[in-house]
Amino acid sequence: MRSPRRCSRNGCPRQAVATLTYVYNESTAVVGPLAAFAEPHTYDLCEPHARSLTAPRGWDVVRHEGEFEPPPPTTDDLVALAEAVREAARPAPRPPEPDPHHDNPHQTGRRGHLRVIPPNH
């Protein structure tokens, strides 16, 4: 499942609820509801940063006056959630049976992201 978009401000862990767009030819910063898709040259902001944004001297700020709400889940989010549930419900594959003909106690093997390394002789 895709994670919610986060605020573009450095170090801010909050979920984005607004989009900032600069209109350079009009020296205007526009803060509106969160855009449907992340676009280049726009910035996602959390509510505190969207409400407190200031623009450079000589610029205007046009700010959405309503409530900033997180976007509802999209169909893609719901499909991804259903796939994750299906994947979690699948039975785990059975581990391979040990080979009785191969009896090496110092065998190198893997378990997940770990690897067993035999001791030096």
Side-chain angles (χ1 to χ4, degrees):
M1 187 163 93
R2 103 186 128 113
S3 61
R5 287 165 34 198
R6 298 279 174 213
C7 183
S8 296
R9 297 291 298 262
N10 285 339
C12 183
R14 294 184 198 99
Q15 181 177 3
V17 296
T19 297
L20 166 64
T21 307
Y22 290 107
V23 183
Y24 292 99
N25 61 347
E26 295 179 19
S27 300
T28 303
V30 179
V31 180
L34 187 65
F37 301 100
E39 298 283 339
H41 310 295
T42 63
Y43 304 90
D44 293 339
L45 299 174
C46 63
E47 186 162 3
H49 286 126
R51 298 260 181 235
S52 65
L53 178 91
T54 59
R57 187 176 303 147
W59 282 56
D60 294 320
V61 176
V62 176
R63 194 182 325 266
H64 173 71
E65 292 300 324
E67 294 296 315
F68 290 113
E69 308 241 350
T74 65
T75 304
D76 292 343
D77 292 335
L78 298 175
V79 170
L81 179 59
E83 289 295 327
V85 169
R86 280 189 210 107
E87 182 68 28
R90 286 189 186 125
R94 295 180 59 190
E97 296 293 323
D99 184 359
H101 302 294
H102 186 72
D103 194 16
N104 181 0
H106 301 294
Q107 178 179 357
T108 301
R110 285 189 63 82
R111 181 178 183 131
H113 65 282
L114 303 175
R115 188 171 45 155
V116 177
I117 299 175
N120 292 334
H121 296 286

